[in-house]
Amino acid sequence: MAPDPAPAPEHVRIYEVGPRDGLQNEATPIATAAKLRYIELLAAAGLREIEATSFVSPKAIPQLADADELVPRLPPAPGVRYPVLVPNARGVDRAEAAGARALAVFTAATDAFTEHNIGMTVEESLEAAAPVLRRAGDLGWWRRGYVSTAFGCPYTGAVEPARAVAAALRLLDLGVEEICFGDTIGVGVPGQVTTLTAAAAAAGIPLDRIAFHFHDTRGTALANVAAGLAAGVRCFDAAAGGTGGCPYAPGAAGNLATEDLVYFLDASGWSHGVDLDGVLEAARFVTDALGKPLVTKVGQAGGWDPATGRATGRATGRAMTRATGFPVR
Ligand code: HMG
Ligand code: MG
């Protein structure tokens, strides 16, 4: 009798935040055309959820002030969702006019952070999110809700998981399809991921409606992904090139790098549909556009071919970036 076929690998969603979180903290202006090329490379790499930009105050986030011009020109890749971050009714009006079809709203586990970030308490931010989510629901958009500082706050320190879960439950009541718990300043460790996931599940939040957003400030992001996977969560945020941070969260460094996440998931046998070489090309492109070296682990080391023992993908980046036609600094 033939042996049973190996079970198909389980699918993990990689939610790319590079064009939004990755760029929002950058002081040097980046041309809209370069942002679009970055997004095109991400879609070509197989990413199917790409948070494209924010419709926030251009005074708060000058780098993303071109959202109204960028969204109508997003590459029409079949099956790709391009959520945009929206803080208020003005933002959803702009997003609708630009042709958005999915959005993310944001609150936090701590008032101190929302007050610095958007000038509101958590309660006020939820009041602001309510009409945004209602309108997006009427328009048939996909809706995500972030709960920032779920693992620690730059202004008040340690955060009880119950605070993050309470904010998540409010967002679910307001209609979001998915909750994303953010480790905004990258202080979380795997035990916290396990505890928070269990607390969310015990409060009735289905695991398939939970995502995690780990900043890799202290190098714990991949360990946190492993804990999230073990706890049953199947969606993780990442930014190609490991860019990112929030100007209103002192100490927030880059997001978990998409290339590091893809390598980890590939080598661990998860399916995700994203091509590592394609992500490395996007990572090289964006770090070149920012005039920075690519310092992520897999960005430097490349992937690895177990058949030959050799590194893969390393040499391709700079040459491919030049081939895109954008000037390389
Ligand atoms: P405010 O100053 O309190 O509000 O800002 P306001 O209503 O008085 O508006 C101030 C000005 O902004 C006015 O213009 C408004 O018209 C304008 P002025 O009269 O001074 O010329 N304005 C807008 N313009 C364009 N689009 C809009 C909009 N709204 C108001 N939507 C506000 C409140 C929320 C607007 C502001 O604080 C803001 O935009 N903050 C955004 C902060 C931000 O984007 N932070 C980063 C994203 S969150 C994050 O990174 C965390 C995450 O990654 C997860 C994690 O890591 O944990 C998601
Ligand atoms: Mg973030």
Side-chain angles (χ1 to χ4, degrees):
M1 206 169 77
D4 287 342
E10 254 195 276
H11 189 75
V12 170
R13 287 165 51 217
I14 302 179
Y15 182 102
E16 172 67 41
V17 293
R20 194 277 302 169
D21 195 325
L23 300 184
Q24 70 185 9
N25 206 17
E26 293 294 333
T28 313
I30 302 159
T32 309
K35 294 176 184 173
L36 287 164
R37 179 63 182 148
Y38 176 39
I39 291 169
E40 192 176 53
L41 290 170
L42 292 168
L47 287 151
R48 289 294 166 265
E49 295 174 274
I50 304 173
E51 200 165 283
T53 187
S54 296
F55 287 93
V56 295
S57 161
K59 286 182 191 146
I61 307 283
Q63 183 61 256
L64 303 182
D66 61 351
D68 309 80
E69 290 83 53
L70 180 124
V71 168
R73 294 165 60 195
L74 285 170
V80 178
R81 175 184 285 158
Y82 292 117
V84 295
L85 198 69
V86 168
N88 55 18
R90 169 95 186 271
V92 80
D93 286 348
R94 288 175 59 207
E96 185 185 357
R101 295 279 177 276
L103 61 65
V105 297
F106 51 113
T107 184
T110 57
D111 288 323
F113 179 70
T114 51
E115 276 160 8
H116 281 85
N117 195 31
I118 48 177
M120 303 175 201
T121 61
V122 169
E123 188 58 39
E124 287 163 349
S125 73
L126 290 164
E127 282 162 24
V132 169
L133 291 169
R134 229 179 0 253
R135 176 101 189 104
D138 291 346
L139 292 164
W141 295 4
W142 181 85
R143 295 163 293 173
R144 164 184 258 214
Y146 283 101
V147 179
S148 287
T149 62
F151 296 85
C153 173
Y155 304 106
T156 57
V159 170
E160 281 300 313
R163 304 267 311 261
V165 171
L169 290 170
R170 295 285 302 281
L171 285 167
L172 286 163
D173 276 350
L174 294 176
V176 299
E177 271 80 41
E178 174 170 277
I179 291 296
C180 182
F181 290 110
D183 187 8
T184 316
I185 52 168
V187 291
V189 292
Q192 283 178 278
V193 177
T194 309
T195 305
L196 178 56
T197 309
I205 305 178
L207 292 175
D208 63 3
R209 296 179 72 181
I210 297 176
F212 280 118
H213 174 106
F214 297 123
H215 284 261
D216 203 18
T217 321
R218 291 170 178 78
T220 57
L222 269 185
N224 290 342
V225 169
L229 288 167
V233 173
R234 296 289 180 266
C235 180
F236 300 93
D237 293 8
T243 51
C246 173
Y248 305 99
N255 289 276
L256 169 60
T258 314
E259 54 272 31
D260 291 357
L261 178 60
V262 167
Y263 174 79
F264 174 84
L265 293 174
D266 278 342
S268 309
W270 295 91
S271 121
H272 49 73
V274 179
D275 172 59
L276 179 58
D277 285 350
V279 172
L280 285 171
E281 186 179 359
R284 294 244 175 232
F285 178 81
V286 73
T287 48
D288 279 352
L290 296 171
K292 295 181 174 176
L294 178 56
V295 293
T296 62
K297 295 287 186 202
V298 174
Q300 295 179 91
W304 183 68
D305 180 358
T308 64
R310 294 204 190 95
T312 61
R314 267 185 312 178
T316 55
R318 189 156 281 271
M320 284 198 283
T321 302
R322 288 190 188 287
T324 62
F326 283 92
V328 176
R329 286 177 227 203

